[in-house]
Amino acid sequence: MGDNKPFKIRGCVEPELCGIAASTLNEVIDKGCTKLKVLIQQILDRLSSTNFQEQVDDILSDSPSETKRLLVEFINSLKGNIDAEDRRDDPAWFTDMDPHYKTKSQVMFDKAKDRVRGYFTKTKETLKKTNFSKASLVHYELVLKELRDTLKANKHHGFYFERNCDHADRLCDKKGWFQCEGRYNSDKCPDSHLINPYSTKDNLTLFSTWNLDHVIEKQREVIPRLGDAIQNCPINKQVNTKYFYELLFTRQNLKLVDIRCHDKGIHHGRVAESKLYRKIKR
């Protein structure tokens, strides 16, 4: 972390802030414990008994976001069982889960799969409400079939959350750490939000608040434009299902974001008019 930096800390009970100077995370912890006359284990026990993110923010209320991220990682690595993969090695993580799940990666694969499948269901349900002409119904059925078949071939992109795979679109590292990719119109997360749902049951639950955010919005833009493309498809063309598939289900249009970076306002991205259709395959 470089040269000494000032930090303001306080105990888990005492409201008063006190100052220390440190250059590494371990120094923050060691000096903090000495200053406050507490043990590391007491801090960890306190943090594990409630929302640890709020407690970390209290302890390092004025410290850099990078330090907060490192402290979260430190706590998780001690209190969780990140390396355990099989059910027998971390039974607490599998509490209340279907017994057919034997590994954490299986669980996370299905969680990603369920999210992506939900996007297809939403697309289908929304388009179903459209009053398509008879001619357009042919295109509608073809689009749904192509979307469904491609999703099946890609295993509904379950590999997004699976740490034990080598797919290029996997969103976590081999340990299971996920990094927030920031708001839809940002290149990165300014606060370095980080989570490892493989570590503890609490983190797994918290991960459900992280969003696969559509940069070009699914509900406001992509699905309505898909409906229009189906309804107005020229005689000599087909709807470019591949393009809409990419917008709905792939990382070309999806960003993983912490709920604090999820912008629910209107996004500025638009479906490209030039990509709505393709030539009919002979």
Side-chain angles (χ1 to χ4, degrees):
M1 291 175 60
D3 297 332
N4 279 352
K5 296 179 182 178
F7 296 93
K8 290 183 179 180
I9 62 172
R10 63 175 163 221
C12 298
V13 179
E14 298 84 356
E16 294 82 9
L17 287 168
C18 58
I20 61 171
S23 61
T24 68
L25 176 61
N26 285 337
E27 273 193 280
V28 171
I29 295 170
D30 290 342
K31 289 185 177 181
C33 288
T34 300
K35 187 86 172 180
L36 298 171
K37 297 181 174 61
V38 297
L39 299 173
I40 290 178
Q41 189 59 48
Q42 287 178 312
I43 293 178
L44 294 175
D45 289 343
R46 176 75 178 183
L47 293 175
S48 65
S49 67
T50 183
N51 186 318
F52 72 82
Q53 183 62 57
E54 292 179 1
Q55 294 292 321
V56 169
D57 288 344
D58 284 343
I59 293 173
L60 296 175
S61 57
D62 295 326
S63 63
S65 59
E66 176 67 8
T67 303
K68 293 181 183 180
R69 183 188 71 77
L70 290 171
L71 184 55
V72 171
E73 181 173 344
F74 172 77
I75 293 166
N76 273 312
S77 65
L78 289 181
K79 299 300 292 186
N81 198 351
I82 291 174
D83 292 330
E85 175 67 13
D86 294 344
R87 190 180 195 118
R88 64 178 178 272
D89 295 327
D90 193 358
W93 193 91
F94 291 86
T95 303
D96 299 325
M97 288 187 193
D98 191 297
H100 87 273
Y101 287 118
K102 304 303 180 186
T103 68
K104 293 179 179 180
S105 291
Q106 287 175 340
V107 174
M108 296 303 294
F109 181 93
D110 277 0
K111 286 189 177 297
K113 187 176 174 181
D114 288 345
R115 292 201 194 192
V116 172
R117 184 185 282 123
Y119 301 153
F120 175 75
T121 300
K122 191 65 176 179
T123 301
K124 182 180 177 181
E125 289 176 348
T126 303
L127 292 177
K128 201 173 183 179
K129 298 175 184 176
T130 306
N131 187 24
F132 290 122
S133 65
K134 285 188 178 181
S136 297
L137 284 173
V138 176
H139 295 292
Y140 167 70
E141 294 294 341
L142 178 61
V143 165
L144 283 187
K145 182 180 186 305
E146 289 182 337
L147 291 177
R148 187 185 297 111
D149 289 349
T150 308
L151 280 171
K152 185 176 180 180
N154 288 322
K155 300 181 179 179
H156 290 81
H157 298 269
F159 45 76
Y160 283 159
F161 296 169
E162 184 188 14
R163 70 179 180 183
N164 279 354
C165 77
D166 294 317
H167 199 282
D169 284 341
R170 187 188 71 209
L171 283 160
C172 62
D173 65 18
K174 284 293 188 179
K175 287 282 190 178
W177 287 101
F178 292 82
Q179 292 186 349
C180 174
E181 296 178 310
R183 286 162 50 103
Y184 80 94
N185 55 356
S186 301
D187 292 331
K188 62 180 181 179
C189 172
D191 295 314
S192 304
H193 295 138
L194 189 75
I195 192 169
N196 192 324
Y198 287 84
S199 61
T200 66
K201 183 72 171 181
D202 286 344
N203 267 9
L204 177 63
T205 301
L206 184 60
F207 186 67
S208 65
T209 68
W210 284 51
N211 295 274
L212 279 174
D213 190 25
H214 289 81
V215 175
I216 301 176
E217 293 179 277
K218 174 179 91 277
Q219 205 62 28
R220 289 190 179 114
E221 177 69 9
V222 179
I223 299 178
R225 299 297 288 120
L226 175 56
D228 291 343
I230 292 171
Q231 185 76 285
N232 302 297
C233 188
I235 295 176
N236 61 338
K237 297 285 184 68
Q238 287 180 334
V239 176
N240 187 359
T241 310
K242 181 176 182 293
Y243 175 57
F244 283 100
Y245 180 93
E246 291 170 349
L247 293 179
L248 288 167
F249 309 119
T250 77
R251 291 195 65 187
Q252 290 190 40
N253 192 45
L254 290 172
K255 295 183 74 173
L256 181 69
V257 296
D258 183 295
I259 192 171
R260 290 164 291 183
C261 285
H262 186 203
D263 188 336
K264 295 182 179 180
I266 296 175
H267 294 193
H268 304 304
R270 294 291 178 263
V271 170
E273 291 287 331
S274 62
K275 296 183 179 181
L276 298 180
Y277 303 108
R278 66 188 182 201
K279 293 180 180 179
I280 295 176
K281 295 180 181 179
R282 301 294 183 184

